Amino acid sequence: MIVRSILSFFSVLAFGAMTVAAFFAVLPWFSGHVPESVRSLTEGLEFNSLIIGLVLGLTLGAVGRCNWSDIPRRIVTWFLVREQKFFYYALIAVCGGVLFFY
């Protein structure tokens, strides 16, 4: 489930990056056919800032789809499933502390 959403995120990111790259590849041709006011707007665009904006927008969209009320229940379930391992880790830490301070 989580792998599908990660792959979906990166596929949309790749599509956006290809779209921006195509935009920058075609931009010199467009600059000869557009009015001067539009040409001055496109000179300040940077590929790096567009990619960073694309990543931030997709990340905010992915975070916005999370069910925030479900997160505490999942955390508690995760701890309860691994309760025995945490007991062993605590026992190892206590034994290590005894050896260290002895």
Side-chain angles (χ1 to χ4, degrees):
M1 179 77 172
I2 198 162
V3 175
R4 180 186 293 171
S5 60
I6 290 172
L7 289 176
S8 173
F9 174 80
F10 281 118
S11 67
V12 172
L13 181 64
F15 178 74
M18 288 187 304
T19 305
V20 170
F23 175 72
F24 272 100
V26 177
L27 192 61
W29 181 79
F30 278 133
S31 65
H33 301 296
V34 296
E36 185 62 37
S37 60
V38 176
R39 195 178 310 160
S40 65
L41 291 174
T42 59
E43 290 174 359
L45 292 176
E46 293 183 17
F47 186 73
N48 295 338
S49 64
L50 280 173
I51 293 299
I52 290 171
L54 184 64
V55 168
L56 289 176
L58 287 173
T59 303
L60 287 175
V63 168
R65 286 192 303 262
C66 289
N67 187 2
W68 292 97
S69 63
D70 193 37
I71 291 174
R73 183 188 60 82
R74 287 183 179 222
I75 290 173
V76 169
T77 304
W78 185 81
F79 275 112
L80 290 176
V81 167
R82 289 157 183 84
E83 181 180 6
Q84 190 175 13
K85 288 183 181 180
F86 288 132
F87 174 74
Y88 288 132
Y89 293 150
L91 186 61
I92 290 169
V94 167
C95 291
V98 168
L99 288 175
F100 181 75
F101 289 116
Y102 183 67

